[in-house]
């Protein structure tokens, strides 16, 4: 396992585990939501235990979680798996977050409770890496209320002074003002690391998918100039850079026909020297095995490969896919829609090697979202989902477009 060394000499695995998509007993992952009243498969603890032990045995020592992940179960489940692994607490690094997204969680007393609960669920008396979670979500005013006006940031800094957390950082989505504020106040808070969305599409083209975004190249270079190590999230763009995609494979397969699209995306991220670890939300054991091979050791990208990845990024952008990363922050929908599955269905059609027929597309839709009550046509346009989307997707608009598109395909089939 390729590792990176921190300023205090700690070796960190370049592959990290993002505990957002834990395996469930039905073979799915625990970051999905279902309509109220439907059965919801529970996390498969025995499978998770085995996966965590496998990762530790093969050199992965960075585990990233949050009170908000996996329907609120991620910390507790990960804590149990780590404790049962047989490895010492000093053998692994736990990263978790102050995920005070709801207004009722802004009060400092609630932040303190969240932190104490994290310690309890993770079965530890200290947190290695503690993050302000998604600081740019919903604009600078919300960032200020969550961390500045309530004194939460200064309290987090005091936790570091006391040794209850070892490193203090933040994860960034959204409003550039929040990121720049943190950079401008680095002399005071001395950020130990920062977690950003970085992949070979967002490296130069984040603004093209969403004008509000900052390109990952800018974020990485700004942080590197200040000596702040980078943790990468969304290296696969929520799976969009790993799923079968003719636009990507046509550029990358000639260089290495045997390499998966996921391997290309992960190698890109690991090739930058100020990257401390690359988080992957691995659900299935085969994902873990493949990613371990990619990083054991990592083969950095060559100039020729970087150029091919840039061509692949441009090819993907031309397809105008919806920038959904399947984070599921938009769920549950109050009207029962399966928003991520609907958006992923649309992207899957667009990235197919050959344009599917109308009948094939309708069959794909039925398979992707089996319950008609959860499809795009049921959207009421309430827009409650949009405020939670880290990518600021106009979800109601996209669902409306998908509904009209599907209706046209139905009309096409009826006319035959």
């Amino acid at each position: 396992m390729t590792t990176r060394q921190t300023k205090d000499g700690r070796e960190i695995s370049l592959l990290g585990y993002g505990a957002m998509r834990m395996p469930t007993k039905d073979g799915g992952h625990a970051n999905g939501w279902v309509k109220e009243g439907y059965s919801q498969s529970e996390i498969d603890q025995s499978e998770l235990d085995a996966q965590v032990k496998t990762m530790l045995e093969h050199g992965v020592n960075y585990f990233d979680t949050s009170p908000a992940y996996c329907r609120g179960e991620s910390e507790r489940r990960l804590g149990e798996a780590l404790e049962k692994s047989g490895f010492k607490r000093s053998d692994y690094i736990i990263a978790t977050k102050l995920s005070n997204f709801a207004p009722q969680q802004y009060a400092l007393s609630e932040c303190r409770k969240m932190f104490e609960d994290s310690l309890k669920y993770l079965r530890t008396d200290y947190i290695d890496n503690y993050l302000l979670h998604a600081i740019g979500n919903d604009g600078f005013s919300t960032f200020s209320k969550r961390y500045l006006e309530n004194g939460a940031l200064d309290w987090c800094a005091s936790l570091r002074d006391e040794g209850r957390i070892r490193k203090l950082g933040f994860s960034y989505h959204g409003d550039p003002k929040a990121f720049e504020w943190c950079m401008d106040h680095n002399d005071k808070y001395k950020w130990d690391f920062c977690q950003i969305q970085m992949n070979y599409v967002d490296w130069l083209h984040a603004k093209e998918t969403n004008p509000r975004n900052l390109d990952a190249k800018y974020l990485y270079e700004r942080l590197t100039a200040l000596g702040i190590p980078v943790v990468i999230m969304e290296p696969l763009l929520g799976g969009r850079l790993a799923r079968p995609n003719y636009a990507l494979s046509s550029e990358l397969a000639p260089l290495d026909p045997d390499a998966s699209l996921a391997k290309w995306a992960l190698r890109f991220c690991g090739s930058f020297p100020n990257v401390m670890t690359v988080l992957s939300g691995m659900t299935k054991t085969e994902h873990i095995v493949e990613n371990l091979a990619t990083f054991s050791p990592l083969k950095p990208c060559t100039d020729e490969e970087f150029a091919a990845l840039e061509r692949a990024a441009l090819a993907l952008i031309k397809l105008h896919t919806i920038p959904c990363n399947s984070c599921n922050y938009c769920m549950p929908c109050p009207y029962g829609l399966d928003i991520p599955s609907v958006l992923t269905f649309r992207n899957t059609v667009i990235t197919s090697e050959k344009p599917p027929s109308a009948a094939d597309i309708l069959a794909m839709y039925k398979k992707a979202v089996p319950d008609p009550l959860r499809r795009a046509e049921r959207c009421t346009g309430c827009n409650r989902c949009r405020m939670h989307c880290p990518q600021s997707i106009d979800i109601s608009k996209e669902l409306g477009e998908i509904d009209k598109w599907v209706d046209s395909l139905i009309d096409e089939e009826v006319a035959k």
Side-chain angles (χ1 to χ4, degrees), residues 78-99:
L78 178 62
E80 181 177 340
L82 288 169
E83 187 177 75
K84 289 158 63 176
S85 69
F87 283 75
K88 301 190 301 293
R89 176 65 182 87
S90 58
D91 291 333
Y92 50 82
I93 294 162
I94 294 175
T96 194
K97 307 174 181 76
L98 181 52
S99 306

Side-chain angles (χ1 to χ4, degrees), residues 51 283-291:
Q51 290 180 349
T283 300
K284 299 183 181 298
T285 300
E286 53 262 37
H287 299 157
I288 296 171
V289 171
E290 178 183 349
N291 292 352

Side-chain angles (χ1 to χ4, degrees), residues 9 16 23 78 83 85 95 105 149 172 213 226 267 271-272 275 287 300 345 396 403 411 415:
L78 178 62
E83 187 177 75
S85 69
Q105 297 172 318
E149 297 168 30
Y172 168 69
N213 288 344
L226 292 172
R267 284 185 58 216
S271 296
F272 294 86
V275 169
H287 299 157
F345 148 73
S396 295
D403 183 37
D411 291 342

Side-chain angles (χ1 to χ4, degrees), residues 91-341:
D91 291 333
Y92 50 82
I93 294 162
I94 294 175
T96 194
K97 307 174 181 76
L98 181 52
S99 306
N100 58 341
F101 293 122
Q104 60 266 31
Q105 297 172 318
Y106 293 172
L108 185 57
S109 59
E110 291 299 313
C111 296
R112 292 178 185 273
K113 181 180 183 302
M114 184 174 288
F115 176 73
E116 297 297 336
D117 284 344
S118 292
L119 293 177
K120 178 177 66 176
Y121 295 143
L122 289 163
R123 306 186 184 200
T124 182
D125 57 2
Y126 69 94
I127 301 297
D128 297 281
N129 285 14
Y130 200 54
L131 296 86
L132 313 183
H133 196 176
I135 63 165
N137 269 13
D138 204 26
F140 186 83
S141 175
T142 297
F143 164 68
S144 181
K145 291 173 184 175
R146 290 175 63 195
Y147 298 119
L148 306 182
E149 297 168 30
N150 59 359
L153 174 52
D154 289 330
W155 166 70
C156 287
S158 73
L159 290 177
R160 181 175 54 186
D161 294 339
E162 296 166 8
R164 302 194 75 197
I165 67 173
R166 304 298 166 83
K167 308 287 184 183
L168 177 61
F170 61 91
S171 65
Y172 168 69
H173 285 291
D175 189 344
K177 187 176 179 181
F179 177 82
E180 298 298 350
W181 187 95
C182 290
M183 295 298 92
D184 292 342
H185 290 78
N186 182 54
D187 286 346
K188 178 178 180 180
Y189 292 106
K190 298 179 172 55
W191 305 108
D192 296 300
F193 66 102
C194 174
Q195 189 164 307
I196 62 171
Q197 180 170 310
M198 180 171 149
N199 49 71
Y200 64 82
V201 175
D202 285 320
W203 181 244
L204 294 175
H205 307 290
K207 286 180 123 1
E208 293 172 54
T209 58
N210 186 332
R212 183 199 67 174
N213 288 344
L214 292 171
D215 287 342
K217 182 176 187 290
Y218 171 80
L219 298 173
Y220 175 84
E221 291 180 347
R222 186 93 159 87
L223 292 162
T224 300
L226 292 172
I228 303 171
V230 172
V231 174
I232 293 180
M233 58 183 165
E234 301 294 354
L236 306 180
L237 262 179
R240 282 193 288 147
L241 301 184
R243 299 187 196 100
N245 185 320
Y246 180 67
L248 304 182
S249 58
S250 61
E251 295 290 347
L252 302 176
L255 294 180
D256 187 350
D258 297 324
S260 68
L261 291 177
K263 182 176 181 178
W264 278 108
L266 294 173
R267 284 185 58 216
F268 172 88
C269 292
S271 296
F272 294 86
N274 192 41
V275 169
M276 184 170 71
T277 193
V278 180
L279 299 177
S280 179
M282 299 170 279
T283 300
K284 299 183 181 298
T285 300
E286 53 262 37
H287 299 157
I288 296 171
V289 171
E290 178 183 349
N291 292 352
L292 285 170
T294 298
F295 285 93
S296 302
L298 173 82
K299 180 184 176 184
C301 291
T302 65
D303 289 344
E304 180 186 14
E305 291 170 333
F306 276 126
L309 287 162
E310 169 61 7
R311 293 195 300 272
L314 291 171
L316 182 65
I317 289 168
K318 288 178 182 177
L319 294 176
H320 301 292
T321 57
I322 299 169
C324 172
N325 295 340
S326 300
C327 68
N328 289 294
Y329 286 4
C330 59
M331 298 295 281
C333 167
Y335 297 95
L337 278 74
D338 186 348
I339 296 169
S341 293

